[in-house]
Amino acid sequence: MKTLRVPATVASLGEVARFVGQAGTDADLGERDAYRLRLATDELVTNVITHGFRNLTPGEIELQVSVSDGWVLVVVLDTAGEFDPTGRDRMAPAVRQAAVWRREEGTTGGFGLTLARMCADRIMYERTGDLNRTIIVVRRSGRRLCEAEIR
């Protein structure tokens, strides 16, 4: 497992992108899957920085990458306010379209987590005490999965 710990600031986003990009290369992800992993992670970490720590003193964000034959996982750990990015409250199509319209009008917000959920094969979330733990999962589509992994 590889780990990166950075301050929860916008200035850290480049380092996060390089770390996740290198993880995709090390995991021998194809170009498409590596992009999906990087984009999902970038959107989630950006959300933590800009919204999760909005009214808090910025802390740190830790990323942990692990690789199996069929999957690459990025675990994002932070102490920002509690927020479940998994989409259990999936946006209705009309709300999602409104987010797109806001972006076209130059207004920010409303689409990043939807984009992260669209890029990842799965996003899981849990909160323990004051720690958020979000797991981004991307399937290594260039790899053949064993029967146990498919179930």
Side-chain angles (χ1 to χ4, degrees), residues 111-128:
F111 195 63
L113 290 178
T114 299
L115 185 59
R117 289 190 297 262
M118 290 168 51
C119 289
D121 289 302
R122 184 165 186 201
I123 295 180
M124 298 173 282
Y125 170 81
E126 66 182 14
R127 178 137 173 125
T128 306

Side-chain angles (χ1 to χ4, degrees), residues 43-137:
E43 290 294 340
L44 181 78
V45 171
T46 298
N47 196 66
V48 169
I49 292 168
T50 59
H51 301 295
F53 282 106
R54 180 181 308 188
N55 297 319
L56 302 171
T57 302
E60 290 186 325
I61 296 176
E62 181 175 315
L63 285 86
Q64 303 170 345
V65 175
S66 61
V67 179
S68 73
D69 285 339
W71 307 91
V72 176
L73 283 75
V74 176
V75 179
V76 180
L77 303 166
D78 67 78
T79 56
E82 182 174 3
F83 178 73
D84 183 351
T86 61
R88 291 185 190 139
D89 59 339
R90 298 258 184 232
M91 278 202 261
V95 175
R96 193 170 28 248
Q97 184 60 45
V100 171
W101 289 332
R102 283 196 310 269
R103 182 169 226 144
E104 290 170 352
E105 293 170 356
T107 306
T108 60
F111 195 63
L113 290 178
T114 299
L115 185 59
R117 289 190 297 262
M118 290 168 51
C119 289
D121 289 302
R122 184 165 186 201
I123 295 180
M124 298 173 282
Y125 170 81
E126 66 182 14
R127 178 137 173 125
T128 306
D130 65 349
L131 184 68
N132 294 306
R133 182 174 188 249
T134 306
I135 304 169
I136 301 164
V137 181

Side-chain angles (χ1 to χ4, degrees), residues 1-3 19-30 37 64-75 135-141 143 145 149:
M1 178 180 338
K2 294 186 179 186
T3 302
F19 176 75
V20 175
Q22 186 61 52
T25 299
D26 293 347
D28 196 27
L29 284 177
L37 180 68
Q64 303 170 345
V65 175
S66 61
V67 179
S68 73
D69 285 339
W71 307 91
V72 176
L73 283 75
V74 176
V75 179
I135 304 169
I136 301 164
V137 181
V138 171
R139 180 177 176 262
R140 297 172 73 197
S141 60
R143 302 283 184 210
L145 301 179
E149 290 177 310

